[in-house]
Amino acid sequence: MIAAFIFFAHFIFILLIFTWKWQKDGISGAIMNVSLILVLFAVGWTITGMIAKFVMEPKGLGLYYDRDTFSLTLLTIIEFFFYRIYYNRPTAADKGTQ
């Protein structure tokens, strides 16, 4: 159940970024940002899965919080800080409009 919520949160985030970038940069910028998010999600989940393997057993902490859910939680925390920095930095287009 927790893993489903994390996937749903990522889906909503992808939709928000796609819409925001489509309005700001056009369809090519929106597709590029969605591709970036999907690649970082796939690679990040693999890396955090390896980290989770060292930290806990496959059963995890309970029925709803197993090792995969722990790796998704760790990935979401890392992504939160990365995307907060990535999408808040000014770009050349932003500097030209100010």
Side-chain angles (χ1 to χ4, degrees):
M1 188 67 167
I2 297 170
F5 176 74
I6 293 172
F7 281 118
F8 183 70
H10 278 88
F11 180 71
I12 296 296
F13 177 70
I14 286 173
L15 288 178
L16 288 172
I17 292 298
F18 180 81
T19 305
W20 179 49
K21 287 296 184 177
W22 185 13
Q23 292 174 351
K24 193 171 186 177
D25 299 335
I27 192 73
S28 63
I31 292 173
M32 184 91 63
N33 275 275
V34 168
S35 301
L36 171 75
I37 292 169
L38 292 175
V39 167
L40 289 178
F41 178 79
V43 172
W45 193 12
T46 304
I47 292 171
T48 57
M50 289 187 291
I51 293 169
K53 188 181 278 189
F54 291 118
V55 175
M56 64 177 23
E57 299 175 10
K59 289 183 181 180
L61 300 174
L63 180 63
Y64 296 112
Y65 202 76
D66 58 352
R67 185 165 49 192
D68 287 332
T69 307
F70 173 73
S71 65
L72 281 172
T73 304
L74 185 61
L75 172 66
T76 303
I77 292 168
I78 293 168
E79 281 181 335
F80 173 77
F81 291 111
F82 174 75
Y83 291 133
R84 190 168 176 98
I85 294 168
Y86 182 76
Y87 286 115
N88 282 337
R89 67 183 169 100
T91 60
D94 293 336
K95 292 177 184 176
T97 59
Q98 291 180 353

